[in-house]
Each structure stands twice: as C-alpha cells, then as structure tokens.
C-alpha cells in the first residue's frame, strides 16, 4: 500500500509524530512524506521514505485563489506522483487542503488535529473551509478524548483518539536528594507559553525557598521581555534563559522538577518527556487532558487554571521534600509505557482500518 503523510515541517510535535508514523509504516508499506512548509531537518534517519517538499504557503493577495492553487498542486502530487492509497494529514490548514484536493475521489483520508481544537481555531477563511473539507475526511483524530467535541461536536461521530508517542528515554533521573533544587521548562518563548507568569510564580516560591533555580530552555520573540522581567525582580543568578538544548533527555535528567504554565497545549511533548525521565511536575491544567496525563496528581500536579496560590504551594512542596520528588518522579516514568509506540500504533491502525472500510 502507498501511504502519504502530509505535514508542514519536520520540526514540532506534529512533525515528530509524522516521522515516527512514517518509519513504522515503512516496515510494510511504500511511504511518502509531503512537507508543505519545510524549514528544518528531520529528527530521524528517513532513508527509504520518499520526501516531497512543496511550498504551499498562501502568498497571493486573493487568499481564496491562493488556497485553490495550493490545493491543485497538492492534489496533483498525491494522485499522479505518489499515487496514494491512503493519506494521513496533520494540522488543520494542511488537513483542509488535503481534503479539498481529494474531494472527488475515494482515497481514504485521516486528518489529525494536533492542538486543542476546542479553543484554537483556524483563521478566516480557513475556519469555514475546514467545516466543508472535513466532510470529506473518513476519520478525524484528536490527542485526548476531551477534544472530540470540537466545533460544536460537528465531527464527533468520526473522531477518534491518537495520542502522541512517548519514547522511553536513554537516561533517567538518578539523584533526587540535592541541596539546590533546579526547576526546568522547555518551550518557545512566546505568549501562549506564559513564561513571564512562570517567572512570577517562581519568584513567589523563591522567597520561601532560597535554594531553588529556574532554567528555561528555548527561544522566541519574548526573550527580551523575559530578560527585563528577570532583572526587574532581581532574579539574575536564580532564573536562567538557557536557549536551545540538543540532548533533551540528558538535560532534563540534570534538573529536578518540570514546570508548565501554558495558556494552551495539545499533547504536551516536553512535559511528557520530562515525566519519562522521572521528573515530578507542576502544570496548569489548561484542559482535562493534562489531568489525564498526570493521572490526577499521582505523577504530577495539575493545578486548576489560574490558581496561582496552589501552583506556588506545589512548587514549595516539591522544593522542600526530596522524598516527594522521588515518589512522584518514579511514578511519572511509566508515561512511556502508557503511551509507547506499540500502543499508539494500534490506535493508528484502528483508524486506518476504519478509514479504509468507509472508503470502499
């Protein structure tokens, strides 16, 4: 079977899971990856997988005509060059173009929403186009069950859950008993991640726990703003903007507690990677999936959105109690068993069987 996987780029959560899927499917099938806006290199060795780079950014002044042009080009690639027997597409705008490109044939299509579609919507005219396009999709997937009623439940009958794969790390946390407790987070320095809020909450905790540090890995448009905030609160030497890290698991193991203050997330990859190496965590539960991931506080604290006092209290509790850090961190490691590649691939194969059956 010829399978086409459509995604914007190798980078990011969607790009990562698209590569993992492509590699697993390639064991038995002819697999192609279509990148609609490539700007980074692959994370894995993709030898044996056909990679097509199509710049489908909409640049025309008339956006509708630009979308039409991109749909036409994508359709030609999928039908005439790849000759796909099955198409799996990631991210809402890609999904919309993919569905329109196949509107008049029966090729099975699975479209994957990889953010929280309950609160993150495509911008006009993509919002209205998605509603039409998704009628063509055979299966729609979301990352948590709590997301399946998006867009007023319009597609709930054909929406299934495909969680992210959490790889078992090559190293895990060894020492939980340390004099200086290092909090850590990883993510883009952008408004949606609310790193400024994290720094403010850390500052409150640091007033009671002088033996703590905060290390923020990542970069983005809010770097200067965060640097100013760190200086304003006299947190130099306490809060560090460490930039990108190349070895995520090793870096996480060198820290003690993971923090997440995002306004919104889909399936939070960095949080799940931190859990997999054995870090306890404190997160704002921006949706019920975070509570599901942390198992209601068994392997991480999921704090009610906006409850700053509780968030700070959980920081302090973990900073002051090495036994609690070890207990919670050890339980957190099992996230890589719960979301291992075999389990998640079964979810995808079930979606494929359903999509193929509907297309007959």
């Amino acid at each position: 079977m010829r399978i086409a996987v459509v995604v914007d780029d190798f980078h990011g959560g969607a790009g990562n899971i698209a590569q993992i899927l492509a590699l697993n499917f390639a064991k038995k099938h002819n697999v192609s990856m279509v990148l609609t806006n490539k700007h980074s290199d692959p994370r894995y060795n993709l030898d044996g997988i056909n990679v097509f780079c199509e710049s489908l950014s909409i640049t025309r002044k008339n956006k509708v005509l630009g979308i039409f042009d991109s749909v036409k080009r994508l359709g030609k690639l999928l039908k005439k060059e790849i000759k796909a027997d099955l198409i799996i597409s990631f991210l809402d705008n890609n999904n919309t173009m993919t569905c329109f490109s196949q509107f008049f044939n029966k090729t099975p299509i699975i479209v994957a929403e990889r953010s929280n579609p309950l609160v993150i919507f495509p911008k006009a005219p993509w919002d209205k186009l998605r509603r039409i396009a998704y009628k063509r999709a055979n299966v729609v997937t979301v990352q948590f069950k709590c997301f399946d009623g998006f867009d007023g439940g319009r597609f709930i009958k054909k929406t299934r859950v495909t969680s992210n794969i959490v790889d078992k790390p090559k190293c895990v946390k060894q020492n939980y008993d340390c004099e200086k407790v290092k909090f850590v987070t990883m993510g883009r320095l952008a408004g949606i991640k609310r790193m400024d809020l994290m720094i403010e909450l850390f500052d409150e905790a640091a007033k009671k726990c002088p033996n703590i540090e905060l290390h923020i890995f990542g970069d983005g448009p809010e770097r200067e703003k965060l640097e100013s905030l760190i200086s304003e609160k006299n947190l130099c030497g306490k809060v560090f903007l460490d930039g990108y890290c190349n070895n995520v698991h090793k870096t996480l193991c060198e820290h003690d507690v993971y923090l997440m203050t995002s306004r919104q997330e889909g399936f939070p990859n960095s949080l799940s990677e931190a859990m997999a190496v054995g870090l306890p965590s404190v997160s704002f539960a921006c949706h019920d999936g975070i509570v599901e991931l942390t198992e209601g506080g068994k392997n991480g604290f999921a704090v009610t959105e906006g409850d700053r006092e509780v968030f700070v209290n959980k920081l302090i509790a973990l900073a002051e109690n090495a036994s609690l850090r070890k207990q919670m961190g050890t339980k957190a490691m099992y996230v890589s068993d719960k979301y291992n590649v075999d389990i998640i691939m079964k979810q995808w194969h079930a979606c494929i069987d359903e999509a193929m059956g509907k297309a007959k």
Side-chain angles (χ1 to χ4, degrees):
M1 180 165 65
R2 292 180 296 272
I3 300 175
V5 179
V6 181
V7 70
D8 61 340
D9 183 50
F10 291 123
H11 182 71
N16 187 60
I17 189 64
Q19 291 173 78
I20 293 173
L21 282 178
L23 288 168
N24 277 275
F25 292 144
K27 295 173 183 177
K28 294 184 178 180
H29 305 285
N30 182 310
V31 179
S32 298
M33 288 192 70
V34 178
L35 305 178
T36 62
N37 186 24
K38 181 183 181 298
H39 55 270
S40 67
D41 296 324
R43 182 174 179 177
Y44 306 94
N45 182 349
L46 299 179
D47 288 350
I49 294 173
N50 307 307
V51 178
F52 296 84
C53 300
E54 289 288 320
S55 179
L56 298 182
S57 299
I58 311 304
T59 56
R60 293 182 59 155
K61 289 184 179 180
N62 187 320
K63 187 169 285 189
V64 173
L65 288 178
I67 294 171
F68 177 79
D69 287 344
S70 293
V71 166
K72 188 175 180 180
R73 287 165 53 199
L74 181 59
K76 181 180 179 181
L77 175 62
L78 291 169
K79 185 176 181 180
K80 295 187 177 180
E81 292 189 50
I82 297 175
K83 300 178 181 178
D85 300 308
L86 170 72
I87 302 169
I88 301 174
S89 177
F90 290 86
L91 305 174
D92 45 32
N93 290 357
N94 282 338
N95 299 343
T96 295
M97 289 192 293
T98 297
C99 288
F100 275 121
S101 78
Q102 305 298 308
F103 222 88
F104 299 107
N105 65 54
K106 294 184 178 181
T107 305
I109 299 174
I110 300 171
V111 297
E113 291 280 337
R114 305 319 277 183
S115 62
N116 178 352
L118 296 174
V119 297
I120 297 178
F121 316 105
K123 296 179 180 179
W126 292 100
D127 53 347
K128 293 181 174 59
L129 292 174
R130 184 180 71 171
R131 285 186 173 179
I132 301 169
Y134 276 25
K135 293 178 181 180
R136 170 61 183 85
N138 300 100
V139 174
V140 178
T141 79
V142 292
Q143 295 170 307
F144 290 105
K145 176 66 177 173
C146 61
F147 293 167
D148 65 2
F150 77 96
D151 201 5
R154 194 176 300 270
F155 308 105
I156 196 168
K157 290 184 178 180
K158 58 181 176 182
T159 299
R160 307 291 177 259
V161 175
T162 54
S163 303
N164 277 14
I165 294 167
V166 181
D167 291 325
K168 191 171 286 293
K170 293 181 180 179
C171 60
V172 295
K173 181 72 175 172
Q174 298 293 332
N175 180 27
Y176 291 90
D177 192 4
C178 49
E179 291 185 10
K180 184 165 288 186
V181 178
K182 296 181 179 180
F183 290 82
V184 63
T185 193
M186 293 182 174
R188 181 167 166 75
L189 307 186
I192 197 168
K193 299 295 184 180
R194 296 195 298 195
M195 299 298 190
D196 53 346
L197 174 60
M198 183 183 297
I199 292 170
E200 291 174 3
L201 297 174
F202 172 84
D203 183 38
E204 292 181 35
K207 291 172 183 175
K208 296 183 178 180
C209 301
N211 66 322
I212 61 176
E213 295 179 352
L214 172 59
H215 292 262
I216 299 174
F217 288 88
D219 213 337
E222 293 208 339
R223 185 178 185 89
E224 289 187 10
K225 173 185 175 181
L226 299 178
E227 288 173 341
S228 297
L229 180 61
I230 292 168
S231 177
E232 174 190 323
K233 291 189 172 292
N234 297 315
L235 289 171
C236 297
K238 283 276 194 180
V239 178
F240 304 87
L241 302 181
D242 294 307
Y244 291 111
C245 71
N246 295 321
N247 192 328
V248 171
H249 290 148
K250 180 177 181 294
T251 301
L252 288 168
C253 285
E254 294 168 351
H255 297 79
D256 303 293
V257 180
Y258 191 85
L259 302 183
M260 189 179 79
T261 51
S262 301
R263 182 179 296 110
Q264 281 304 330
E265 290 279 350
F267 190 107
N269 289 311
S270 295
L271 171 61
S272 61
E273 287 177 322
M275 292 170 64
V277 305
L279 294 194
S281 60
V282 186
S283 307
F284 276 123
C286 53
H287 56 70
D288 289 342
I290 306 301
V291 180
E292 179 183 333
L293 184 64
T294 56
E295 297 189 359
K298 291 181 181 178
N299 54 27
F301 291 121
V303 178
T304 301
E305 170 60 32
D307 197 331
R308 296 173 60 123
E309 182 179 355
V310 171
F311 196 100
V312 172
N313 288 341
K314 298 304 183 186
L315 295 190
I316 295 170
L318 286 169
E320 294 180 337
N321 193 331
S323 178
L324 178 61
R325 293 198 299 272
K326 183 175 182 179
Q327 175 187 344
M328 186 170 281
T330 301
K331 290 180 180 178
M333 290 183 193
Y334 290 100
V335 73
S336 60
D337 294 325
K338 183 177 180 180
Y339 298 99
N340 70 40
V341 65
D342 293 334
I343 290 173
I344 305 307
M345 287 307 298
K346 284 181 181 178
Q347 294 178 351
W348 280 102
H349 283 298
C351 290
I352 290 171
D353 290 343
E354 182 177 349
M356 298 291 284
K358 288 181 176 178
K360 290 180 179 178

